[in-house]
Amino acid sequence: MIRIGVDLGGTKIEAIALDETGRELARRRIASPSHDYAQTIDAVRGLVDALEGELGARGTVGIGTPGAISAVTGRIKNANSTQLNDRPLGEDLARALGRAVRVANDANCFALSEAGDGAGAGRRLVFGVILGTGVGGGIVHDGQLWVGPNAIAGEWGHNEMPSRTEPGLPDTRCYCGRRRCIETFVSGPGLAADHRRNAPGASASLDAATIAALARAGDADARATMARFYERLAGALATVINVVDPDVVVLGGGLSNIEPLCDEVHARLPAHVFSDAVATPVVRNRHGDSSGVRGAAWLWPP
């Protein structure tokens, strides 16, 4: 039996097939349908059908999704891909695929993957971080996901950005309806928006990866933007370290590909963490910025 994992990202949907040992057999990626729920269901079905057709075998299916399943309604809540909210995603996918599916938060899937055989392997308490279109987190303790009674364990991105990271913190608004969420500062769109606010004449088309590349090339405005980003990320991560004191923080999502990210953030942590030294390493993922798709497959253990 093969295990198929699907990651519903804000900009892409990725699917992977693993064998019983966790070896990758096949992988596919497509652009996410824009704000269309029915097309999202069809896209997942198409990816699963394509993998099974390629491998000539039927598999279990695990889904990593933004947000979480509400214990009250059984529907998706808290997803930054807002077309998923208040939808019975698990039921609709099970019907489309003709089998039971397991659904979990995408950051939880990422943390599960990296804690199992990734950058957090061998650590008792792993905090996995998604820095991409949104900002999420997942907690794995002794190999087990900690979800919590409200299914929000690890959702640090919707706490307020600590104001002591800098004077005059901008008054941002989040899709969730709250002000100054961490996600509005250290996600990819948040970084790009900050650059537009502070770099006169900056093109509205500049994305986070381009701004990081400009900073490496010496552009003064981009360097200032990245310095603010690193400081904000360190201050925000410190609030998690101060509460759960993880053995390791593993960074994922598209922004984890920024080359000096881990070193820059770790160097700034001592100014924010309530300790005389910071022993918690901040490391890049081992299985790629979309490691969570592997964790989705592992929602069905061997």
Side-chain angles (χ1 to χ4, degrees), residues 68-301:
I69 296 177
S70 167
V72 177
T73 67
R75 294 171 176 242
I76 295 294
K77 64 176 183 178
N78 297 345
N80 61 351
S81 296
T82 54
Q83 74 274 13
L84 302 178
N85 286 326
D86 202 32
R87 300 281 194 168
L89 180 65
E91 295 175 19
D92 289 341
L93 285 173
R95 188 178 303 111
L97 294 170
R99 76 201 79 176
V101 301
R102 292 181 179 175
V103 178
N105 173 262
D106 52 1
N108 285 355
C109 292
F110 170 79
L112 187 63
S113 172
E114 291 296 323
D117 60 355
R123 308 277 190 160
R124 293 197 63 192
L125 184 58
V126 176
F127 183 56
V129 172
I130 296 292
L131 298 170
T133 306
V135 171
I139 299 170
V140 176
H141 182 241
D142 287 341
Q144 300 296 313
L145 276 173
W146 179 254
V147 177
N150 301 298
I152 57 171
E155 286 289 2
W156 67 301
H158 293 281
N159 290 321
E160 186 172 354
M161 173 62 70
S163 60
R164 67 183 180 188
T165 56
E166 63 191 274
L169 195 68
D171 187 17
T172 59
R173 300 279 174 165
C174 186
Y175 79 91
C176 72
R178 296 171 177 83
R179 299 168 56 222
R180 293 187 177 135
C181 282
I182 288 167
E183 179 167 304
T184 66
F185 291 96
V186 298
S187 64
L191 190 160
D194 180 68
H195 189 68
R196 290 194 298 272
R197 283 193 297 266
N198 292 279
S203 170
S205 65
L206 290 179
D207 61 11
T210 304
I211 295 164
L214 287 171
R216 289 194 299 274
D219 181 90
D221 286 334
R223 287 170 65 91
T225 295
M226 295 308 299
R228 286 190 300 273
F229 171 74
Y230 297 139
E231 185 67 22
R232 290 166 176 171
L233 182 53
L237 281 174
T239 65
V240 178
I241 295 172
N242 285 341
V243 174
V244 299
D245 203 9
D247 292 300
V248 64
V249 174
V250 184
L251 302 184
L255 297 190
S256 69
N257 294 318
I258 296 173
E259 192 58 40
L261 181 62
C262 294
D263 291 342
E264 292 281 0
V265 171
H266 194 270
R268 289 167 167 80
L269 284 177
H272 303 285
V273 173
F274 186 57
S275 177
D276 59 347
V278 181
T280 304
V282 178
V283 301
R284 189 176 175 183
N285 56 80
R286 181 175 295 167
H287 293 298
D289 57 21
S290 57
S291 178
V293 73
R294 298 177 72 257
W298 282 106
L299 293 174
W300 295 87

